[in-house]
Amino acid sequence: KQEVTQIPAALSVPEGENLVLNCSFTDSAIYNLQWFRQDPGKGLTSLLLIQSSQREQTSGRLNASLDKSSGRSTLYIAASQPGDSATYLCAPGRGQTGANNLFFGTGTRLTVIP
Amino acid sequence: SQTIHQWPATLVQPVGSPLSLECTVEGTSNPNLYWYRQAAGRGLQLLFYSVGIGQISSEVPQNLSASRPQDRQFILSSKKLLLSDSGFYLCALQGQGFNTEAFFGQGTRLTVV
């Protein structure tokens, strides 16, 4: 069974700082990995999808990398802003009878201080 | 663009009462649909997924069931709620294929009292 760990569990940084969130997973037989953000009491917002054949993916100030063989992914956030405060979740996906089921850890809660 | 509608946003139900949570999607055809639950202090857990009308797969044994009566409708049900059914329920969709992005609804907060 896929186990996902995200370190650190919580992170507080001053505005403008660059930061890295870490994700590790136990089963490297994945099709892709997706990063999400979740605001308190809300659903998940997709940030980036990295296919298993890719090494990294970029969207604006976000850059995600994937090392499938070692079971690791990182999310780099450049020039952090208070609006980036949220819980960040990584979710490796594994195909199963036509579906791509995602597995989640408990996330990293990020606070960006103005 | 794809849209996921979940209702209600919050729900308080007594133990032993029935449950029906509905999820409808727009802007896509023949999607894969998912129900996840997020319990307090825990990660999201996949409960059910469906690759087509009437096709339901369960990931964990539990007190809940799911149905997909139409292509863009996914329903989560229970005949008798337990306290342990409390949590944040999220519906998600993905397009066909293994390398498509997943999108989530805004969730339903269920409290069983």
Side-chain angles (χ1 to χ4, degrees):
Chain A
K1 183 191 172 214
Q2 181 75 276
E3 300 286 343
V4 180
T5 303
Q6 290 188 246
I7 295 173
L11 181 63
S12 185
V13 300
E15 181 177 3
E17 201 162 286
N18 302 325
L19 57 102
V20 175
L21 307 181
N22 297 292
C23 169
S24 61
F25 48 95
T26 55
D27 187 348
S28 61
I30 64 172
Y31 283 98
N32 53 47
L33 185 142
Q34 202 163 343
W35 280 92
F36 298 88
R37 67 173 282 167
Q38 184 177 29
D39 294 289
K42 302 294 185 183
L44 277 63
T45 300
S46 177
L47 298 174
L48 290 163
L49 170 70
I50 311 178
Q51 298 181 18
S52 61
S53 59
Q54 297 176 316
R55 296 287 292 185
E56 65 178 69
Q57 192 69 257
T58 298
S59 176
R61 295 182 293 108
L62 306 179
N63 177 277
S65 68
L66 174 64
D67 185 341
K68 181 182 166 183
S69 60
S70 68
R72 295 172 190 256
S73 178
T74 61
L75 180 67
Y76 174 83
I77 302 177
S80 58
Q81 303 171 358
D84 294 331
S85 298
T87 296
Y88 289 80
L89 299 162
C90 77
R94 182 169 182 175
Q96 197 167 348
T97 59
N100 181 34
N101 300 343
L102 300 177
F103 297 86
F104 291 86
T106 52
T108 294
R109 188 170 66 215
L110 172 66
T111 303
V112 181
I113 304 166
Chain B
S1 64
Q2 298 160 111
T3 307
I4 303 173
H5 300 282
Q6 276 190 255
W7 66 91
T10 61
L11 190 59
V12 180
Q13 291 285 98
V15 168
S17 64
L19 173 74
S20 180
L21 299 182
E22 187 163 342
C23 170
T24 59
V25 304
E26 296 177 353
T28 183
S29 295
N30 198 26
N32 291 337
L33 296 175
Y34 304 80
W35 278 111
Y36 287 85
R37 176 172 61 201
Q38 189 174 36
R42 304 181 68 176
L44 276 80
Q45 181 184 36
L46 177 63
L47 302 177
F48 299 96
Y49 65 93
S50 171
V51 299
I53 296 173
Q55 300 180 62
I56 307 295
S57 297
S58 174
E59 282 295 289
V60 294
Q62 60 202 298
N63 184 43
L64 303 168
S65 62
S67 62
R68 185 170 177 178
Q70 300 179 47
D71 181 48
R72 299 173 194 173
Q73 184 183 32
F74 203 25
I75 299 172
L76 184 69
S77 304
S78 173
K79 293 182 179 178
K80 290 185 178 182
L81 285 168
L82 305 172
L83 287 173
S84 58
D85 292 323
S86 294
F88 191 46
Y89 289 82
L90 290 156
C91 178
L93 74 83
Q94 275 182 301
Q96 290 295 319
F98 295 135
N99 274 312
T100 56
E101 200 171 356
F103 297 94
F104 282 75
Q106 289 302 298
T108 294
R109 172 80 55 194
L110 171 66
T111 303
V112 183
V113 297

